[in-house]
Amino acid sequence: MQFLAAALVLIFPALLIVAALRDAVSYTIPNWISLGLLAAFPPAALAIGLPLPTIGLHAGLGVLALVAGMAMFALRWLGGGDAKLFAAAALWLGWSAAASFLLVTCIAGGALALSLLAIRSVWLRPLVSSGPSWLNRLAEPGENVPYGVAICVGALAALPASPLMKGLEVLA
């Protein structure tokens, strides 16, 4: 059972990393990633022994994060895939990791935006132009910010504080 629980919990960082990479190279986060996170959460939570009320609190946070993500999407601050990934990550992390998730995601988003401004500058853009097409697209002035990368960084940083990781420690 311990191996199954660990395997199920590993779905979370694996899909987050796939989402970040897809967002960086294509500015899209496929729906299957967020749906996969949503579908994998209940068996992972049950496998590590989270009580049903705690699972309900995780779900409540996921819904709250989805509403916040939809508002940010409506304001054109985030893409739709980013909003769904943000909600799916919040579902997995729960309330105990929510503050660190939000804080690190904001800091990573700011660092990402500053990095993109730098490579989109008149001085650095010519150096990037000989790179792969996805890097050229990132360096294109006026392009979007692949915020899925920041969401991934924030979620991975907050993961140790989540009940899922604490549950794995208890099983070990």
Side-chain angles (χ1 to χ4, degrees):
M1 188 64 161
Q2 181 181 352
F3 176 76
L4 175 64
L8 286 168
V9 171
L10 283 175
I11 291 171
F12 180 63
L15 287 179
L16 279 173
I17 292 167
V18 170
L21 292 172
R22 287 290 303 263
D23 203 16
V25 300
S26 68
Y27 288 110
T28 59
I29 299 172
N31 285 334
W32 67 263
I33 294 173
S34 297
L35 289 172
L37 287 168
L38 180 64
F41 174 74
L46 291 172
I48 63 160
L50 280 186
L52 288 178
T54 303
I55 293 172
L57 288 171
H58 278 251
L61 178 60
V63 169
L64 182 64
L66 182 61
V67 170
M70 290 168 45
M72 289 185 278
F73 174 73
L75 294 168
R76 303 182 53 98
W77 293 352
L78 286 179
D82 299 323
K84 290 178 270 189
L85 183 65
F86 182 73
L91 168 71
W92 276 78
L93 294 169
W95 289 98
S96 63
S100 60
F101 170 50
L102 188 57
L103 179 66
V104 175
T105 299
C106 290
I107 292 169
L112 177 63
L114 289 174
S115 299
L116 290 174
L117 284 173
I119 67 168
R120 292 173 181 175
S121 71
V122 176
W123 301 281
L124 294 181
R125 181 140 166 62
L127 300 174
V128 177
S129 64
S130 62
S133 61
W134 64 268
L135 186 57
N136 281 321
R137 189 170 175 195
L138 282 175
E140 187 67 35
E143 269 291 353
N144 293 325
V145 174
Y147 210 76
V149 174
I151 293 168
C152 175
V153 169
L156 292 177
L159 184 57
S162 74
L164 290 170
M165 291 305 289
K166 291 179 178 162
L168 276 180
E169 291 171 8
V170 169
L171 288 177

